[in-house]
Amino acid sequence: MKRLSFLAALLAASAAPLAAQTVAITGGTVALGDGSEPIPGGTVVIRDGKIAGAGLNIAIPRGAEIIDARGKWVTPGIVAGFSRLGISEVDLSADGSTDDRAQNSPFSAALDIAPAINPMQTTIAVNRADGVTRAVVAPNIGRNIFGGQGALMDLGADRDPVTRARLFQFVEFGERGAGAAGGSRPATYAMFRNALREARELSRFAVSRGGRAETQEDPVVRDPNESRLIGPNVNRSEDIMLTRFDAAALVPVLQGRQYLMIHVEAANDILNVIKLKREFPTIRPIMVGVTEGWTVAGEIAASGIPVIASAVNDLPASFEMLAATQSNVGRMRDAGVNVAIGMIDDNDTRYLFNQRQYAANLVALGKVPGAAGVSWGEALALITSRPAQVIGMGGKIGSLNTGAAGDVVIWSGDPLELASATEAVWIDGVRQPLESRQTKLRDRYQRLDRSALPEAYRR
């Protein structure tokens, strides 16, 4: 009996969530992630899951665990500005391997990606071990231009990965959007305008928080999920294309209560998004991809629409990327565009850690005659605080500012040098394991007795 009790206690202890610690990381080169240059000999304090202070002359709380980081670098965790992490084990479209799209579903805009995010997928641990602590997760489109509602997740080793569900609605314009809408860009814009007008018609019947259906012209939907509560007595027009559920999901987009993330690459598509913002002034668009953004950077900056760009597209991979150049991000930054780095045109499921390589490339570009790069501090910000700002989480994640989430990484050296490795990672103040499927395979085969190998491998 005693043995059973001991085992039960052991299992209960192992299942308990890890608690946030009070930690002081001292003596390292501290980079705040806000665009400033690194601070040698700095201190970072994490307390109650938040950043309690970072920089020089930071007071260390009594009883804090002190970690000597002399010779190391300390930064906020990397924020993946665009990904499909946690919803696709491998990006091969094999049966059962992915939940990123619903090709045969009758629904589109109403789809919510949050329940599909699987914290046990192996790609999460791999990226966590390389300093990625948060990721914007977007659904893919299926039967029309709307992919559904995306989320922000953390990469903590626990069963609760979703930081913010239904953060934005994802929509495809450009070449993919044209294909999904029927074969042309005019079809894309007609479908988009029709969808928002159906949402506008339905918004008159949004249910108030008290549960009674309102019939005034513009009731406010305060929570994106509240749009599901459209009253039962809604009389919609007969001339409709969207399901009631999809139209209801677009009400918070129309009211500016939920971001509208739009994938575009070509300059002309970018300008059309800016025009749509004038037509529907309450929407809050975010553009992703934006390969030809540098050619219309002034117009983007003037519109105030933020951008999550693919960092190093430099080939005319399609007709909507003919003006691709690695100077795209640098030139948009020089023009005043609010820009971050994402992976929409890359390996958005597995290789999010490549963002720090891309950020480093943009630093190197600054030394190439005729090219436009960014400073070291700005490069780190492009993969930490800038993505957070774009999605409305500035000051809450992606920086070492006081009060931000305790997402901190200790690196063996400059994090924008690929030879540098993570030595410790905290998410919400909880120290994370750095073991992954890759490290397990390394440990299994690194020192394998050759006598245990199959005959063909013994020689």
Side-chain angles (χ1 to χ4, degrees):
M1 180 62 73
K2 286 185 177 180
R3 179 175 176 77
L4 287 175
S5 299
F6 172 75
L7 288 174
L10 185 63
L11 289 171
S14 64
L18 296 172
Q21 304 142 302
T22 299
V23 177
I25 305 167
T26 62
T29 299
V30 173
L32 303 178
D34 59 359
S36 59
E37 293 300 305
I39 304 167
T43 296
V44 177
V45 173
I46 312 171
R47 184 168 55 190
D48 298 330
K50 306 285 187 183
I51 301 297
L56 298 174
N57 303 317
I58 302 298
I60 298 176
R62 180 179 297 178
E65 177 188 3
I66 298 176
I67 298 176
D68 185 354
R70 285 177 292 181
K72 317 294 183 184
W73 286 58
V74 187
T75 73
I78 293 171
V79 178
F82 183 93
S83 81
R84 296 198 163 98
L85 188 67
I87 56 176
S88 185
E89 178 67 41
V90 291
D91 43 1
L92 298 176
S93 299
D95 289 344
S97 69
T98 178
D99 286 310
D100 70 325
R101 74 184 69 201
Q103 192 70 38
N104 300 315
S105 171
F107 301 108
S108 56
L111 298 175
D112 177 1
I113 204 67
I117 296 175
N118 180 2
M120 305 305 292
Q121 290 197 340
T122 58
T123 51
I124 294 175
V126 171
N127 283 283
R128 179 175 64 233
D130 211 80
V132 182
T133 54
R134 307 271 170 175
V136 175
V137 185
N140 225 323
I141 63 168
R143 61 192 291 264
N144 65 33
I145 63 174
F146 295 100
Q149 300 170 87
L152 175 69
M153 68 173 289
D154 71 68
L155 278 70
D158 55 52
R159 298 277 186 172
D160 185 21
V162 178
T163 304
R164 184 72 62 85
R166 301 176 292 280
L167 181 62
F168 59 91
Q169 175 68 228
F170 181 73
V171 61
E172 281 277 0
F173 282 10
E175 289 182 358
R176 288 200 67 203
S184 75
R185 284 176 170 78
T188 304
Y189 297 114
M191 179 173 285
F192 180 79
R193 289 189 173 94
N194 176 77
L196 288 203
R197 284 166 184 163
E198 288 191 27
R200 178 177 293 165
E201 178 186 55
L202 205 56
S203 70
R204 292 180 299 161
F205 301 93
V207 173
S208 68
R209 284 176 177 257
R212 296 180 55 188
E214 298 177 351
T215 56
Q216 65 263 35
E217 284 297 315
D218 190 24
V220 174
V221 175
R222 298 175 178 81
D223 183 330
N225 200 35
E226 195 179 332
S227 65
R228 298 177 176 185
L229 305 177
I230 300 299
N233 299 320
V234 176
N235 295 316
R236 300 179 66 193
S237 303
E238 294 183 358
D239 182 20
I240 56 173
M241 293 182 63
L242 299 181
T243 68
R244 174 184 167 125
F245 205 33
D246 286 333
L250 292 173
V251 171
V253 172
L254 182 67
Q255 295 182 333
R257 310 300 300 177
Q258 187 181 55
Y259 289 105
L260 179 65
M261 186 173 285
I262 306 172
H263 179 205
V264 283
E265 302 288 358
N268 193 49
D269 290 323
I270 294 168
L271 293 176
N272 282 325
V273 170
I274 295 173
K275 292 175 183 175
L276 285 174
K277 170 64 176 170
R278 298 190 193 113
E279 183 178 346
F280 299 97
T282 55
I283 65 174
R284 292 195 294 168
I286 300 168
M287 292 191 285
V288 292
V290 198
T291 297
E292 293 189 346
W294 68 275
T295 65
V296 291
E299 290 88 340
I300 301 173
S303 74
I305 298 174
V307 168
I308 300 175
S310 302
V312 292
N313 284 351
D314 63 348
L315 294 173
S318 65
F319 281 106
E320 62 183 359
M321 298 182 178
L322 295 178
T325 170
Q326 290 191 11
S327 291
N328 184 36
V329 170
R331 290 173 182 170
M332 285 196 288
R333 284 291 304 165
D334 290 343
V337 177
N338 181 11
V339 60
I341 288 178
M343 301 286 286
I344 190 168
D345 297 320
D346 216 315
N347 295 297
D348 53 31
T349 300
R350 294 171 286 129
Y351 293 153
L352 310 181
F353 51 78
N354 279 352
Q355 284 192 170
R356 68 184 177 107
Q357 175 185 347
Y358 296 161
N361 288 351
L362 297 183
V363 177
L365 270 178
K367 301 176 182 178
V368 176
V374 300
S375 66
W376 189 97
E378 184 58 30
L380 183 67
L382 288 173
I383 56 175
T384 53
S385 62
R386 303 287 182 249
Q389 292 169 1
V390 167
I391 59 172
M393 298 290 285
K396 298 179 180 175
I397 61 169
S399 75
L400 297 183
N401 293 335
T402 301
D407 300 352
V408 180
V409 181
I410 298 179
W411 306 85
S412 61
D414 182 342
L416 300 189
E417 294 283 351
L418 292 186
S420 300
T422 54
E423 296 197 349
V425 175
W426 287 262
I427 297 177
D428 287 324
V430 177
R431 189 161 183 169
Q432 301 293 319
L434 300 183
E435 185 181 60
S436 69
R437 179 174 173 81
Q438 273 80 339
T439 61
K440 289 180 179 178
L441 288 170
R442 176 202 63 194
D443 295 343
R444 180 176 180 181
Y445 292 108
Q446 189 175 29
R447 296 182 180 84
L448 192 65
D449 189 335
R450 299 189 70 81
S451 64
L453 294 172
E455 179 65 27
Y457 294 90
R458 293 178 188 173
R459 295 190 292 272

